[in-house]
Amino acid sequence: MRTHPFLLVNPRSGSGNPTADELAAAARERGITPHLLRPGEDPRELAVRSGAEIVGIAGGDGSLAAVAAAALETGAGFVCVPFGTRNHFAGDAGLDRDDPLAALAAFDAGRVERVDVGKVGGRLFLNNVSLGAYAGLVHRREHHRRRAETLARAKALFAVARKRNRLHARVDGEEIDARVLLVGNNRYQLDLFTLGARQRLDAGELDLWTAAGLWPTAWEERSAPGFRIELPVAHVAAAIDGEPALLESPLELESLAGALRLLVPERTAARSTTGGAMHDNPDATEDEQELAQREGRQQEEESMRYPEHHDPDEQRDRAHSEPDE
């Protein structure tokens, strides 16, 4: 038996206007059952257990895929309420990213759009999967945050800029050598340090981009319903919709064309063609980019002069992990 529409609210998302409690109260007024996520709770499991015909999530991009997976599993409609700091998927779906309350109209007066979902290693993604430098940035950022360090974004950015490691992989049997590899759920407009909007969420394809540098001036692109990425390691650090993940190699990526029943308000904004910060890349100021580029160039020069030079972070981490004599 189906129950009232169900909305999960991630209270750790959002800018505070409205607050999570205010959003939950507005949902109740519409006959929607809200639930504020607590640490350790599984949003997919909660959405499945709700038995609702429509399930939604108020959160950022990293919160969406778990509830979308529940919607696919139960056949429910899916509502996205933009309540994070970037909300790229919401913007690409035509929602007003500055008005979470308006998105609640999709629960009772929404139209259905069939949109694609990406899948990798048994996990769904709505935006993208990245490997290489950008994925390293996400993992570094999370590491610094867990250590309660300030300036986590800048620390992560500079640490990745110092890294000389390249990504060696085979994509559908073809050898590639890059610092950045990005697989998008449909095609993005890409520019330096920027992921633009997607014109379509229903083309039934994945778009794979590779670039030789962290600050790329040129990307190589290919599109297909799926990709097989083989790596010379058993597991690889990745970022899925901007969240750190560890994936098992080889990676099998596929587009689940039109799999998700996305409900949006009847009146939605026209889809934007303007870009935003890389989904898995914390916004960087011009000064931060310039400094990171300068550090990257200096590091590359040092590596040519002194091939045995190691990343200072790695040296420090190694020293801390070694037992005292």
Side-chain angles (χ1 to χ4, degrees), residues 23-76:
L23 183 60
R28 289 191 193 94
E29 291 178 1
R30 289 180 171 270
I32 304 164
T33 301
H35 177 90
L36 270 62
L37 277 169
R38 294 184 288 269
E41 288 188 317
D42 183 346
R44 186 202 65 80
E45 181 181 346
L46 290 170
V48 169
R49 280 172 30 198
S50 74
E53 188 172 354
I54 302 174
V55 295
I57 174 69
D61 288 303
S63 306
L64 305 183
V67 180
L72 292 186
E73 185 176 338
T74 64

Side-chain angles (χ1 to χ4, degrees), residues 35 101 124 171 195 229 284 325:
H35 177 90
L101 296 178
L124 300 186
V171 177
L195 272 182
I229 301 177
E325 294 294 339

Side-chain angles (χ1 to χ4, degrees), residues 25 48 58 68 70 77 83 92 102 126 134 140 142 147 155 160 169 172-173 220 235 272 290 299 301 309:
V48 169
F83 197 57
D92 292 342
L126 298 182
Y134 287 136
R140 282 278 184 171
E142 189 70 13
R147 291 171 57 184
K155 285 177 177 288
V160 170
D172 294 338
E220 293 186 9
H235 296 86
S272 171
E290 182 180 352
Q299 188 73 11
E301 291 174 0
H309 177 77

Side-chain angles (χ1 to χ4, degrees), residues 23-175:
L23 183 60
R28 289 191 193 94
E29 291 178 1
R30 289 180 171 270
I32 304 164
T33 301
H35 177 90
L36 270 62
L37 277 169
R38 294 184 288 269
E41 288 188 317
D42 183 346
R44 186 202 65 80
E45 181 181 346
L46 290 170
V48 169
R49 280 172 30 198
S50 74
E53 188 172 354
I54 302 174
V55 295
I57 174 69
D61 288 303
S63 306
L64 305 183
V67 180
L72 292 186
E73 185 176 338
T74 64
F78 174 73
V79 173
C80 168
V81 176
F83 197 57
T85 54
R86 295 183 179 86
N87 304 301
H88 293 275
F89 179 80
D92 292 342
L95 300 173
D96 184 347
R97 293 185 286 188
D98 297 323
D99 193 354
L101 296 178
L104 295 177
F107 280 96
D108 52 17
R111 68 174 188 272
V112 177
E113 294 189 358
R114 285 282 184 175
V115 301
D116 306 335
V117 176
K119 185 177 182 180
V120 58
R123 294 183 55 170
L124 300 186
F125 62 96
L126 298 182
N127 293 324
N128 60 70
V129 175
S130 62
L131 307 176
Y134 287 136
L137 177 58
V138 171
H139 283 261
R140 282 278 184 171
R141 179 191 62 192
E142 189 70 13
H143 170 70
H144 288 306
R145 281 179 176 171
R146 287 177 179 175
R147 291 171 57 184
E149 293 188 7
T150 58
L151 301 178
R153 178 185 65 192
K155 285 177 177 288
L157 188 65
F158 299 154
V160 170
R162 288 198 303 265
K163 289 275 187 183
R164 303 186 308 277
N165 298 341
R166 302 182 71 82
L167 182 69
H168 304 285
R170 292 171 63 90
V171 177
D172 294 338
E174 179 184 341
E175 298 280 354

